[in-house]
Amino acid sequence: MALFVLKFGGTSVANLARLEHVAKVIRQEIINGNQVAVVVSAMAGITDQMVGYCQALCPHEQTPEHDVVASAGEQVTAGLLALSLKKIGIKARSYLSWQIPIHTDSTATDARILHINPEKIQQSLSKGEVPVIAGFQGLSREGLITTIGRGGSDTTAVAMAVALKADRCDIYTDVDGVYTADPRLVPSARRQDTLGYNEMFEMASAGAKVLHPRCVEMAMKHNIRLRVLSSLTDSPKGTEIIEDKLVVDQGNVTSIVHSLQEAKVTLKNMQNQPGVAAKLYTNLGNANILIDMMTQSHSREGYIDMDGMINRNDIERFQTTMFASKDNLSFSDIAIDKNVAKVTVIGMGLRSNMDIPALICRTLANEGINIHMIYSSEIKMSVTINQQSLKPALTALHKAFALDQNYIEKEVA
Ligand code: ADP
Ligand code: ASP
Ligand code: MG
């Protein structure tokens, strides 16, 4: 008997009708002769509402209390789905993370899963029950409730699949797979049947919400079969994430990803001398703030400006941390730009094809779109642009790299 972990995201469990539909999807897997463990997110919008309450009371505080509130939505969904399963004759039991437990480190709002004890879930399975596990939640060594980062129930599901040695992990969401670009912004985007772990990881890290980056990292490390499917349609089609070496070469560029989750920060007039960057990174590391696309440029004789991209949720903490060591870091001012979108072009072809960066820049120039920052690595190139240029930029790049559905159909015809 195969064992599958099925994960259902916020839209898939957004109301009682959807929960009842999800229960039927689970029943079908059981009828097919498989064992099933389930991981659920909160109903769509609930986590935002919970985080909103915390922010209204204590803005920008990242404490265990925040995580107690933020993780509440998953408790409700786990219970309701177990009830929906019982209603259609399937034995089920809900589990909160502390009951399993799912051990994490102590980083409030962004903890990492360290260890899962699979015993309780295995016992539940052997009793013929469907265990319904609340995603996103963890338990720290100190016994505190944690959460594992927004979008993190994907990672709970893969971690559960690792702990249970499951045969596959299916992530059910509101799109029927991973597309060449976000299908909500680029209607001509194409669903990909298969995708290598590395490309999927780059996509997730660059902001493609469809999978949480850590879940891809974990699936890759433990060789977990991972699929992305829609819970809203009955289509069996989806995307399977597979070993990179098994991916048929799909060309130079395979996807265009965007993120509106980041802001540009500039530290102005820092002294141009050894040790300044070291101090800056030490402060950021201590405050657990990730900075991306870091560049430095000459501002005036003996001084530099440092630019970088940070998560918008970290802006206030960034300012507080920087101003707390202003004398040590020796900057004159901080500028924050929120009118910024990051667009990332991903593909193995970037390793060898030097024409790709030129085509990216030329395509944006032809649209009259100004690039602010550029970062490139072996298999991706990111640029930042004004937010209002995002849609035209995605559309033009998608077309320039022949990723459009129409283009492929024409080629095949
Ligand atoms: P869930 O609540 O099920 O976890 P998410 O909202 O986290 O769902 O992720 C699904 C969303 O990811 C889709 O609705 C889609 O807008 C977005 N998305 C961004 N990039 C892509 C992509 N390349 N392919 C598919 N979906 C994408
Ligand atoms: N409910 C959490 C969130 O909204 C976790 C998840 O959906 O994966 O971020
Ligand atoms: Mg998600």
Side-chain angles (χ1 to χ4, degrees):
M1 200 187 260
L3 168 61
F4 298 146
V5 174
L6 310 189
K7 180 258 167 176
F8 296 91
T11 326
S12 309
V13 294
N15 52 46
L16 292 184
R18 293 248 167 98
L19 276 164
E20 289 190 308
H21 175 71
V22 163
K24 288 181 190 149
V25 173
I26 296 167
R27 181 174 61 184
Q28 192 53 51
E29 282 295 0
I30 292 167
I31 292 170
N32 293 347
N34 302 308
Q35 269 188 319
V36 178
V38 177
V39 173
V40 283
S41 295
M43 290 170 157
I46 296 294
T47 312
D48 285 341
Q49 193 186 352
M50 296 297 135
V51 170
Y53 287 147
C54 294
Q55 305 252 308
L57 279 175
C58 296
H60 324 302
E61 203 171 293
Q62 297 187 324
T63 57
E65 276 63 48
H66 172 285
D67 283 6
V68 168
V69 179
S71 64
E74 272 71 9
Q75 169 163 347
V76 174
T77 327
L80 287 175
L81 182 56
L83 284 175
S84 310
L85 284 162
K86 285 182 182 169
K87 193 177 158 193
I88 56 169
I90 308 281
K91 283 208 291 184
R93 210 204 113 167
S94 61
Y95 287 87
L96 305 183
S97 75
W98 66 266
Q99 295 174 304
I100 299 173
I102 298 177
H103 289 292
T104 67
D105 66 24
S106 313
T107 318
T109 76
D110 196 24
R112 275 181 181 265
I113 295 179
L114 300 175
H115 175 70
I116 298 182
N117 185 348
E119 220 176 287
K120 292 230 173 81
I121 302 302
Q122 280 163 340
Q123 281 165 3
S124 182
L125 287 164
S126 60
K127 280 194 258 170
E129 289 171 355
V130 172
V132 183
I133 299 149
F136 187 48
Q137 311 176 340
L139 181 71
S140 77
R141 286 232 166 81
E142 298 78 25
L144 298 168
I145 300 293
T146 57
T147 59
I148 60 169
R150 297 302 305 268
S153 354
D154 298 337
T155 303
T156 308
V158 172
M160 214 60 238
V162 174
L164 293 170
K165 299 191 175 55
D167 296 281
R168 200 174 66 211
C169 181
D170 286 346
I171 306 286
Y172 280 90
T173 182
D174 56 5
V175 279
D176 63 350
V178 183
Y179 279 67
T180 46
D182 187 340
R184 296 188 198 286
L185 269 99
V186 184
S188 59
R190 220 169 5 97
R191 187 182 55 77
Q192 316 199 57
D193 286 328
T194 56
L195 206 64
Y197 285 117
N198 269 309
E199 281 189 35
M200 188 64 241
F201 178 70
E202 291 295 346
M203 286 181 76
S205 309
K209 268 174 54 191
V210 63
L211 286 179
H212 192 238
R214 279 188 208 147
C215 102
V216 187
E217 206 178 14
M218 202 182 283
M220 173 158 52
K221 187 169 162 208
H222 296 275
N223 221 352
I224 295 289
R225 280 184 71 197
L226 187 61
R227 296 195 309 172
V228 177
L229 300 155
S230 168
S231 72
L232 308 182
T233 66
D234 288 329
S235 165
K237 286 184 185 159
T239 298
E240 179 150 8
I241 317 300
I242 57 174
E243 271 185 74
D244 296 273
K245 62 174 193 262
L246 300 175
V247 178
V248 184
D249 189 4
Q250 294 176 337
N252 287 324
V253 163
T254 43
S255 57
I256 319 282
V257 177
H258 73 277
S259 168
L260 289 170
Q261 200 37 54
E262 287 159 75
K264 181 182 168 193
V265 291
T266 307
L267 290 168
K268 292 185 173 276
N269 297 312
M270 297 182 88
Q271 277 169 20
N272 190 9
Q273 61 188 34
V276 169
K279 282 184 207 159
L280 173 62
Y281 275 108
T282 306
N283 278 327
L284 290 171
N286 291 341
N288 199 24
I289 297 171
L290 207 75
I291 194 155
D292 189 23
M293 300 180 86
M294 193 71 161
T295 52
Q296 59 180 56
S297 55
H298 180 85
S299 61
R300 60 192 160 90
E301 201 46 48
Y303 291 89
I304 49 167
D305 284 349
M306 282 215 181
D307 294 313
M309 299 285 284
I310 63 167
N311 193 302
R312 285 180 195 205
N313 299 330
D314 290 338
I315 292 176
E316 279 75 15
R317 271 191 323 119
F318 176 81
Q319 285 173 312
T320 315
T321 308
M322 292 299 113
F323 279 120
S325 42
K326 188 165 186 278
D327 294 341
N328 197 16
L329 288 172
S330 76
F331 61 88
S332 67
D333 202 4
I334 299 178
I336 308 280
D337 184 3
K338 290 192 199 168
N339 177 17
V340 48
K342 187 171 87 180
V343 175
T344 305
V345 174
I346 296 170
M348 294 295 172
L350 269 130
R351 278 188 181 153
S352 49
N353 189 342
M354 289 302 126
D355 294 336
I356 295 177
L359 180 53
I360 295 170
C361 297
R362 212 164 46 240
T363 304
L364 295 176
N366 289 343
E367 294 292 313
I369 296 170
N370 199 25
I371 298 171
H372 302 309
M373 294 162 90
I374 301 182
Y375 170 83
S376 66
S377 75
E378 266 213 313
I379 66 165
K380 72 173 182 191
M381 178 164 162
S382 300
V383 296
T384 63
I385 56 176
N386 282 346
Q387 214 167 291
Q388 56 272 26
S389 304
L390 177 62
K391 204 160 183 229
L394 291 176
T395 309
L397 288 168
H398 201 258
K399 195 152 186 248
F401 287 102
L403 297 171
D404 280 21
Q405 218 159 36
N406 297 341
Y407 179 92
I408 298 294
E409 278 164 13
K410 246 191 288 156
E411 286 291 284
V412 172

